[in-house]
Amino acid sequence: MLLLTDIPHDKEPLDWNTRMKIAAGAACGLEYLHDKANPPVIYRDFKSSNILLDENFHPKLSDFGLAKFGPMGDKSHVSTRVMGTYGYCAPEYALTGQLTVKSDVYSFGVLLIELLTGKAPVHASASDDDGIDLPRWVQSVAQEEWSTQVFDKELMKYQGNIEEEMVGMLHIAQQCVAPSPDQRTPFKQ
């Protein structure tokens, strides 16, 4: 098995179809945890380094050490100590400790942005000692500049005619990382 983060940077980047396969497989895993598992499970530490890839790049979720059972009955959230990885953690969970399935939706959106940009969720910047929060940075870039500022230049160099699909994935990612959990689309939709 291979971690998504283990792919060497000196090699040709993952092609678009492989990135889509990873995203779709991860979404199916989270959908199962949220909508089919009984009781529902909130992953709580969903990130690229917790996605194992087989030799055909089929993703498998791993490391459920921080997972929590989701709210049951009429409860809307689970209150818990804030845990998880900086850069992937939903802002409302980080502030309140109230964990919902929408917290995982946020983390999934961060993964999509990571796949689109080829950058880590929090990466260093020459102009900012604290680094850049990738979801907020992407939201600040004007739509006309997405292909030149946001999308993985290495991927676009190796593979043409994918910009429309990348824009579609970016729209989904932006819904996932919306500031309000109510604006985030659940996986079953």
Side-chain angles (χ1 to χ4, degrees), residues 23-173:
C28 287
L30 288 173
E31 178 188 24
Y32 177 83
L33 293 174
H34 294 173
D35 300 323
K36 296 179 180 155
N38 189 12
V41 175
I42 302 173
Y43 194 96
R44 195 161 72 149
D45 197 26
F46 180 82
K47 59 185 175 180
S48 57
S49 63
N50 283 343
I51 299 174
L52 299 176
L53 303 172
D54 68 14
E55 62 278 354
N56 296 314
F57 292 96
H58 291 105
K60 304 287 183 213
L61 302 184
S62 69
D63 190 359
F64 289 84
L66 296 180
K68 287 281 191 195
F69 288 124
M72 300 287 289
D74 62 347
K75 294 187 177 180
S76 63
H77 66 275
V78 175
S79 293
T80 181
R81 192 175 86 177
V82 176
M83 306 277 292
T85 302
Y86 183 69
Y88 291 93
C89 192
E92 74 282 353
Y93 170 54
L95 289 172
T96 67
Q98 294 183 349
L99 186 64
T100 71
V101 294
K102 298 291 184 95
S103 304
D104 282 348
V105 172
Y106 182 91
S107 301
F108 178 75
V110 174
L111 172 75
L112 293 181
I113 293 171
E114 195 173 357
L115 290 170
L116 286 164
T117 64
K119 297 181 186 323
V122 179
H123 68 277
S125 167
S127 62
D128 185 359
D129 291 337
D130 295 331
I132 295 174
D133 177 345
L134 204 55
R136 300 290 82 77
W137 172 73
V138 168
Q139 290 177 338
S140 73
V141 175
Q143 186 169 351
E144 305 80 44
E145 298 175 349
W146 283 348
S147 61
T148 59
Q149 298 293 318
V150 173
F151 297 147
D152 185 343
K153 290 168 185 44
E154 290 299 309
L155 173 65
M156 295 190 71
K157 182 169 53 174
Y158 285 103
Q159 197 167 358
N161 300 326
I162 58 170
E163 188 171 343
E164 189 174 319
E165 291 180 48
M166 293 178 84
V167 167
M169 183 188 255
L170 185 56
H171 284 298
I172 294 168

Side-chain angles (χ1 to χ4, degrees), residues 90-92 100 102-103 105-106 136 139 174-185:
E92 74 282 353
T100 71
K102 298 291 184 95
S103 304
V105 172
Y106 182 91
R136 300 290 82 77
Q139 290 177 338
Q174 287 180 313
Q175 285 179 327
C176 292
V177 297
S180 169
D182 295 335
Q183 297 172 315
R184 298 181 200 144
T185 307

